[in-house]
Amino acid sequence: MASVDGEVREKLIRMRSSIDNIDAALVHMLAERFKCTQAVGRLKAENHVPPADPGREVKQVARLRELAEESHLDPEFAEKFLNFIVAEVIHHHERIGRGGEPWPSAPGGD
């Protein structure tokens, strides 16, 4: 950025600072989401409920696509993002169902 004008550099720094804050918030929100889904996984395992719920997943995709459209976010991207999260949640539920933790060194195991 040495060749970038000082005013432009300052604007970039401010914008990137906001992006960094948003990224941190996303990580914290994902951590909270996974705490909730881990509790769901434990409940499912205790009650012999399958790890995946295809009907809920279809509803969630439709709901998220609608929210994305309302927010001017690409619905395809939103769906891919949700599918990635759901796949990870199912993987965690399967591990929990086998008596393990959602990931090898799960923090805050209760």
Side-chain angles (χ1 to χ4, degrees), residues 2 7-8 13 19 27 29 37 42-43 46 48 51-52 63 72 76 82 89-90 94 97 99-100 102 109:
E7 185 178 329
V8 171
I13 290 170
I19 290 168
V27 168
M29 290 173 68
T37 60
R42 287 184 183 95
L43 182 63
E46 291 165 3
H48 309 288
R63 179 177 160 272
H72 307 287
E76 292 293 320
L82 180 65
V89 167
I90 291 169
E94 289 168 344

Side-chain angles (χ1 to χ4, degrees), residues 60-70 73 75-76 78-79:
Q60 286 295 90
V61 166
R63 179 177 160 272
L64 200 68
R65 286 183 69 92
E66 185 177 322
L67 287 170
E69 288 175 12
E70 291 170 3
L73 178 67
E76 292 293 320
E79 183 173 346

Side-chain angles (χ1 to χ4, degrees), residues 91-104:
H91 177 69
H92 290 183
H93 288 184
E94 289 168 344
R95 288 184 73 138
I96 291 168
R98 291 189 304 268
E101 286 298 318
W103 54 83

